[in-house]
């Protein structure tokens, strides 16, 4: 067993001390004790929705397999998936794919382990497809209607939101689970808890003798895994929602660590910045598997040596000639402290590894050697490093194209003293060019660009351990040059572009131009922000200008500054309905789908406490 200097925390909670103390005292008996039979511990969750397939996620107590039994009747689960393998290096998580499904059909399912049903049963509705609604005369394109729900920010900590109950999900389950085709959780599904969980406690719980490579290289990942399990354990209605409605997920800062900036800024040194790949790997294990991905290259991680004054990184176990570094992100040398993933300003200091920076990869020298953009500060033969993966993708549903963006992984460092600095990027060149090229080549009527952070409204406030304590900015308002470039290119399309955003704990509908809109959706469960303090004093409705472009806030949730923090609990969720066709059969009870000359999208905002409709905005294709 290999222990790194990141394995032992000197600042654990009393509970974690107890876990380790008890675990260590029983180590010898654990080693020889026979473990219980493998069982399902978490899941199921649904993802990767398609017309003829669906993916089902589960976590087991030990590495092994599960399968999914499913069918179109709740008591006749007569179809069985191929086994899904759960791996210790992914915290015993795995994904099964259900294939050859019928479109627009409700299926019932349950996970089986060791030949027996485990966990709660669930059901889901497959997406329609064009053959379901095609009519040669009235609907020659085979368009169909569908709905999706979108939201963000579901903090379960009672000090920072509505608490463990998550009443928003109660309304979603009661009112929408059987009416929604899919769900987009647009960031901050997770907030940082249990991040100091010791790797040794995780090892003892798993009953393994040695750390898998994931934990050996990235020991703080176990705290993120425990964080996900905690949210699924106590988020009863949230877990119920995910076993009934297929989801896609973005990651924002809290899936990684709060206020993570500059992950692509070569030469940047900050513990939050270099936690990117650790948090992203855990996100893929628990949520990211559910998304369409343009690139499938996994995060590369390992142990290497660096010499002071040399720009070479050497990993004897790697074969860099087989790592597609040109299609990946920057290289990070990890911070290396037990608190690296903790959201606490006291750890924003300079106590991390002295070679812990963001590095550009200049050249693959040979199978074991990379040339970096700058030399190492100190000698070290045992550093932990990683090369990030691109985490964006797209999904086509009827006449709508969805672009699921990554706003954290390839992000330059902003500077609010020069918000319009040319070339500073939120997305990175590769993702931006992919987005614009894909939109230009698409024949969709409607584009949904899913960005975790706001587009037109600032998200500002006090910063952390940065060169300027007032340099906090989460939104596109720190990237005016790239934002205006996107708007300019989108205007050329002549299509409707809806930028779906989150992170800011308020909802709003904003008209940017005749064709470009922003719809910020949330929070699902987090305490609301105060616009006067956190959003540059924008109005509840009306014209607002921050930077070079004025916009029209058509509606928003709005919190006055005289409310105490825990009185600011006004969650929201948004249901989006795409109306492409209407049913007008020649005989009642039959189907004949007729296409609207001008399809429309209806954005409906609901009060998360009551389930009542707050606001709706309908936007259709232009009249010719």
């Amino acid at each position: 067993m290999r222990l790194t200097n990141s394995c032992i925390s000197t600042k654990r909670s009393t509970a974690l001390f107890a876990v380790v103390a008890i675990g260590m005292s029983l180590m010898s008996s654990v080693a020889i004790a026979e473990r219980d039979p493998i069982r399902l511990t978490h899941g199921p969750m649904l993802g990767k929705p398609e017309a003829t397939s669906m993916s089902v996620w589960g976590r087991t107590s030990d590495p092994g397999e599960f399968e999914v039994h499913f069918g179109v009747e709740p008591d006749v689960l007569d179809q069985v998936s191929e086994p899904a393998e759960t791996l210790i290096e992914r915290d015993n998580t795995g994904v099964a794919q259900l294939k050859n499904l019928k479109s627009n059909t409700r299926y019932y399912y349950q996970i089986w382990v060791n030949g027996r049903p485990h966990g709660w049963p669930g059901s889901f509705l497959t997406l329609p497809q064009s053959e379901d609604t095609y009519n040669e005369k009235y609907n020659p394109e085979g368009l169909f209607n569908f709905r999706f729900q979108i939201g963000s920010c579901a903090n379960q900590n009672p000090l920072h939101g509505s608490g463990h109950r998550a009443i928003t999900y109660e309304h979603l389950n009661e009112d929408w689970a059987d009416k929604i085709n899919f769900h987009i959780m647009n960031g901050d599904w997770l907030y940082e808890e249990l991040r100091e969980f010791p790797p040794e406690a995780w090892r003892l719980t798993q009953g393994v003798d040695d750390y898998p490579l994931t934990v050996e290289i990235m020991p703080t990942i176990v705290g993120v895994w425990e964080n996900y399990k905690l949210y699924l354990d106590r988020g009863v209605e949230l877990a119920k929602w995910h076993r009934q409605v297929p989801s896609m997920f973005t990651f924002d800062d809290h899936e990684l660590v709060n206020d993570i900036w500059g992950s692509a800024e070569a030469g940047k040194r900050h513990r939050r910045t270099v936690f990117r790949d650790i948090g992203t790997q855990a996100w893929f294990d628990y949520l990211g598997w559910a998304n369409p991905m343009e690139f499938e290259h996994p995060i590369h991680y390992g142990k290497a040596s660096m010499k002071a004054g040399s720009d070479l990184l050497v990993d004897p176990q790697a074969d860099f000639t087989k790592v597609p570094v040109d299609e990946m992100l920057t290289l990070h040398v990890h911070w290396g402290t037990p608190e690296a993933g903790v959201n606490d300003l006291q750890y924003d200091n300079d106590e991390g590894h002295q070679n812990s920076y963001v590095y550009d990869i200049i050249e693959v020298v040979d199978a074991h050697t990379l040339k970096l953009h700058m030399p190492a500060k100190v000698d070290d033969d045992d550093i932990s490093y990683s090369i990030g993966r691109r985490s964006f993708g797209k999904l086509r549903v009827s006449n709508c194209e969805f672009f699921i963006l990554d706003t954290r992984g390839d992000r330059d460092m902003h500077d609010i003293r020069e918000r319009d600095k040319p070339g500073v990027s939120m997305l990175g060149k590769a993702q931006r060019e992919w987005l614009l090229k894909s939109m230009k080549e698409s024949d969709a009527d409607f584009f949904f660009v899913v960005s975790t952070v706001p587009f037109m409204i600032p998200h500002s406030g006090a910063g952390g351990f940065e060169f300027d304590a007032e340099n906090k900015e989460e939104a596109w308002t720190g990237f005016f040059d790239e934002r205006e470039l996107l708007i300019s290119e989108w205007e050329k399309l002549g299509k409707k572009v809806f930028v779906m955003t989150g992170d800011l704990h308020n909802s709003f509908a904003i008209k940017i131009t005749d064709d470009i809109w922003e719809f910020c959706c949330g929070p699902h469960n987090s305490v609301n922000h105060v616009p006067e303090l956190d959003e540059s004093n924008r109005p509840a409705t009306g014209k607002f200008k921050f930077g070079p472009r004025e916009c029209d806030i058509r509606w928003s949730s709005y919190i006055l500054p005289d409310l105490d923090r825990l009185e600011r609990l006004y969650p929201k969720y948004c249901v989006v309905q795409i109306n492409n066709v209407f049913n007008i059969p020649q005989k009642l009870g039959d189907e004949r789908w007729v296409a609207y000359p001008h399809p429309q999208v209806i954005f409906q905002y609901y009060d998360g406490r009551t389930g009542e409709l707050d606001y709706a905005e309908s936007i259709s294709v232009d009249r010719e």
Side-chain angles (χ1 to χ4, degrees):
M1 180 178 66
R2 184 180 187 182
L3 293 177
T4 71
N5 61 4
S6 300
C7 292
I8 306 300
S9 171
T10 59
K11 296 180 180 289
R12 290 182 198 130
S13 67
T14 302
L16 294 182
F17 265 126
V19 170
V20 176
I22 294 171
M24 293 296 289
S25 67
L26 297 177
M27 183 180 293
S28 59
S29 60
V30 169
I32 61 174
E34 182 178 351
R35 288 177 65 82
D36 290 338
I38 185 175
R39 66 191 187 281
L40 186 74
T41 65
H42 297 85
M45 291 197 287
L46 300 166
K48 289 190 176 178
E50 298 283 353
T52 60
S53 68
M54 185 68 69
S55 293
V56 181
W57 173 95
R59 181 188 182 275
T60 55
S61 57
D62 294 271
E65 292 183 346
F66 69 81
E67 60 189 19
V68 180
H69 292 224
F70 61 100
V72 296
E73 298 291 339
D75 298 324
V76 186
L77 307 183
D78 54 357
Q79 301 176 63
V80 182
S81 72
E82 293 293 321
E85 185 178 11
T86 63
L87 303 172
I88 188 65
E89 58 265 31
R90 305 196 68 170
D91 200 28
N92 297 336
T93 64
V95 180
Q97 187 176 27
L98 314 188
K99 302 177 182 179
N100 301 317
L101 306 180
K102 297 179 181 178
S103 60
N104 199 30
T105 300
R106 179 155 296 279
Y107 281 85
Y108 302 85
Y109 74 99
Q110 187 161 23
I111 285 179
W112 283 50
V113 182
N114 276 340
R116 302 294 301 170
H118 279 234
W120 288 93
S123 72
F124 60 85
L125 182 66
T126 54
L127 285 173
Q129 57 185 358
S130 59
E131 289 85 349
D132 300 330
T133 56
Y134 172 82
N135 183 285
E136 182 177 6
K137 181 177 181 180
Y138 295 110
N139 187 20
E141 295 182 28
L143 298 179
F144 52 83
N145 301 332
F146 66 97
R147 292 191 188 100
F148 68 93
Q149 190 273 328
I150 185 166
S152 62
C153 307
N155 200 334
Q156 293 185 18
N157 189 328
L159 298 179
H160 301 288
S162 297
H164 303 168
R165 180 180 173 186
I167 193 170
T168 293
Y169 286 94
E170 295 178 16
H171 290 296
L172 286 171
N173 283 319
E174 183 176 354
D175 299 335
W176 293 104
D178 60 347
K179 301 181 182 71
I180 294 292
N181 293 96
F182 58 90
H183 160 62
I184 299 174
M185 184 62 190
N186 195 14
D188 294 341
W189 185 96
L190 193 72
Y191 283 71
E192 303 90 336
E193 298 184 56
L194 302 183
R195 292 299 184 93
E196 294 179 83
F197 196 86
E200 184 64 5
W202 177 87
R203 186 190 70 80
L204 291 169
T205 302
Q206 301 307 312
V208 295
D209 293 330
D210 298 299
Y211 294 139
L213 185 63
T214 317
V215 178
E216 184 179 352
I217 305 300
M218 304 182 289
T220 49
I221 197 173
V222 304
V224 193
W225 286 340
E226 295 301 315
N227 199 170
Y228 279 108
K229 286 179 278 195
L230 174 68
Y231 267 48
L232 287 170
D233 284 338
R234 71 186 183 194
V236 175
E237 291 292 330
L238 177 146
K240 180 180 179 181
W241 172 254
H242 286 308
R243 67 174 176 264
Q244 298 184 99
V245 179
S247 298
M248 293 177 286
F249 302 87
T250 58
F251 61 82
D252 198 40
D253 55 341
H254 290 289
E255 280 85 6
L256 310 182
V257 62
N258 184 42
D259 291 351
I260 180 172
W261 304 326
S263 294
E265 189 74 26
K268 182 170 173 58
R269 174 174 173 79
H270 196 285
R271 75 164 177 101
R272 296 174 189 258
T273 300
V274 295
F275 199 75
R276 176 195 65 191
D277 298 337
I278 300 171
T280 303
Q281 181 61 57
W283 175 79
F284 268 97
D285 296 337
Y286 275 82
L287 301 179
W289 59 270
N291 288 16
M293 287 290 167
E294 196 70 14
F295 292 90
E296 296 296 337
H297 314 314
I299 294 167
H300 174 85
Y301 49 86
K303 289 282 188 179
S305 63
M306 300 177 77
K307 301 297 182 184
S310 170
D311 58 5
L312 300 180
L313 177 145
V314 180
D315 179 356
Q317 304 303 315
D319 185 350
F320 291 121
T321 65
K322 296 180 180 179
V323 179
V325 294
D326 291 340
E327 295 181 345
M328 299 180 74
L329 305 181
T330 47
L331 183 146
H332 289 180
V333 172
H334 298 166
W335 199 246
T337 64
E339 302 83 16
V342 177
N343 182 22
D344 192 327
L345 290 176
Q346 70 172 307
Y347 300 124
D348 289 339
N349 50 43
D350 199 38
E351 294 179 2
H353 193 288
Q354 290 306 298
N355 287 332
S356 183
Y357 287 87
V358 177
Y359 295 88
D360 281 337
I361 299 173
I362 302 301
E363 180 187 354
V364 176
V365 177
D366 57 41
H368 307 309
T369 310
L370 295 176
K371 181 178 182 179
L372 307 179
H373 84 283
M374 71 178 198
K377 303 296 183 183
V378 298
D379 290 351
D380 196 329
D381 292 329
D382 193 37
I383 65 159
S384 295
Y385 76 95
S386 57
I387 305 171
R389 65 168 294 167
R390 294 179 179 166
S391 304
F392 53 84
K394 62 184 177 181
L395 176 71
R396 178 66 177 259
V397 185
S398 192
N399 59 340
C400 300
E401 195 99 48
F402 293 82
F403 298 92
I404 314 298
L405 302 184
D406 170 10
T407 64
R408 297 288 175 175
D410 206 12
R411 177 175 176 151
D412 292 333
M413 186 61 206
H414 64 270
D415 184 351
I416 64 172
R417 296 170 296 195
E418 194 177 358
R419 293 176 180 269
D420 59 352
K421 183 178 180 180
V424 178
S425 177
M426 171 87 74
L427 301 177
K429 182 179 178 182
Q431 183 176 195
R432 184 180 65 244
E433 291 184 349
W434 163 82
L435 173 65
L436 293 176
K437 182 176 184 290
S438 298
M439 294 176 76
K440 184 177 180 180
E441 293 175 351
S442 175
D443 64 352
D445 291 322
F446 302 111
F447 294 118
F448 294 88
V449 179
V450 183
S451 159
T452 62
V453 294
F455 203 61
M456 301 302 294
I457 305 296
H459 183 185
S460 54
F465 179 67
E466 293 293 343
F467 61 85
D468 185 342
E470 299 300 322
N471 194 39
K472 180 180 172 75
E473 182 56 85
E474 301 298 307
W476 285 91
T477 46
F479 300 82
F480 283 144
D481 181 61
E482 184 172 54
R483 189 191 74 175
E484 293 303 305
L485 169 64
L486 292 176
I487 292 174
S488 175
E489 293 299 312
W490 291 342
E491 280 287 273
K492 298 174 185 177
L493 298 173
K495 305 284 187 71
K496 300 301 179 185
V497 179
F498 308 124
V499 189
M500 311 300 295
T501 63
D503 189 57
L504 208 50
H505 298 177
N506 278 307
S507 289
F508 41 80
I510 295 179
K511 184 177 182 181
I512 303 170
T513 72
D514 287 343
D515 287 333
I516 303 171
W517 296 69
E518 178 182 1
F519 293 96
C520 190
C521 308
H524 271 181
N525 205 53
S526 301
V527 67
N528 297 79
H529 286 129
V530 177
E532 183 177 310
L533 304 175
D534 303 313
E535 303 170 25
S536 293
N537 202 26
R538 53 97 177 167
T541 59
K543 298 300 176 76
F544 177 70
K545 186 176 183 181
F546 188 91
R549 183 178 295 273
E550 185 178 69
C551 62
D552 181 6
I553 302 175
R554 310 268 287 194
W555 169 87
S556 74
S557 61
Y558 197 88
I559 304 297
L560 294 173
D562 60 353
L563 274 67
D564 291 337
R565 178 177 178 82
L566 293 183
E567 297 300 324
R568 304 190 328 240
L569 301 175
Y570 293 92
K572 304 290 179 186
Y573 61 91
C574 184
V575 175
V576 184
Q577 181 168 321
I578 292 81
N579 285 342
N580 286 317
V581 295
F582 59 97
N583 189 24
I584 186 70
Q586 291 180 305
K587 184 179 179 181
L588 286 172
D590 288 347
E591 289 186 351
R592 180 174 60 173
W593 294 99
V594 180
Y596 282 110
H598 302 94
Q600 68 259 192
V601 180
I602 306 172
F603 299 84
Q604 303 164 88
Y605 286 91
Y606 290 86
D607 186 318
R609 299 183 70 84
T610 66
E612 296 293 322
L613 179 68
D614 278 348
Y615 179 78
E617 182 90 45
S618 179
I619 302 168
S620 66
V621 300
D622 292 336
R623 270 65 172 166
E624 297 179 358

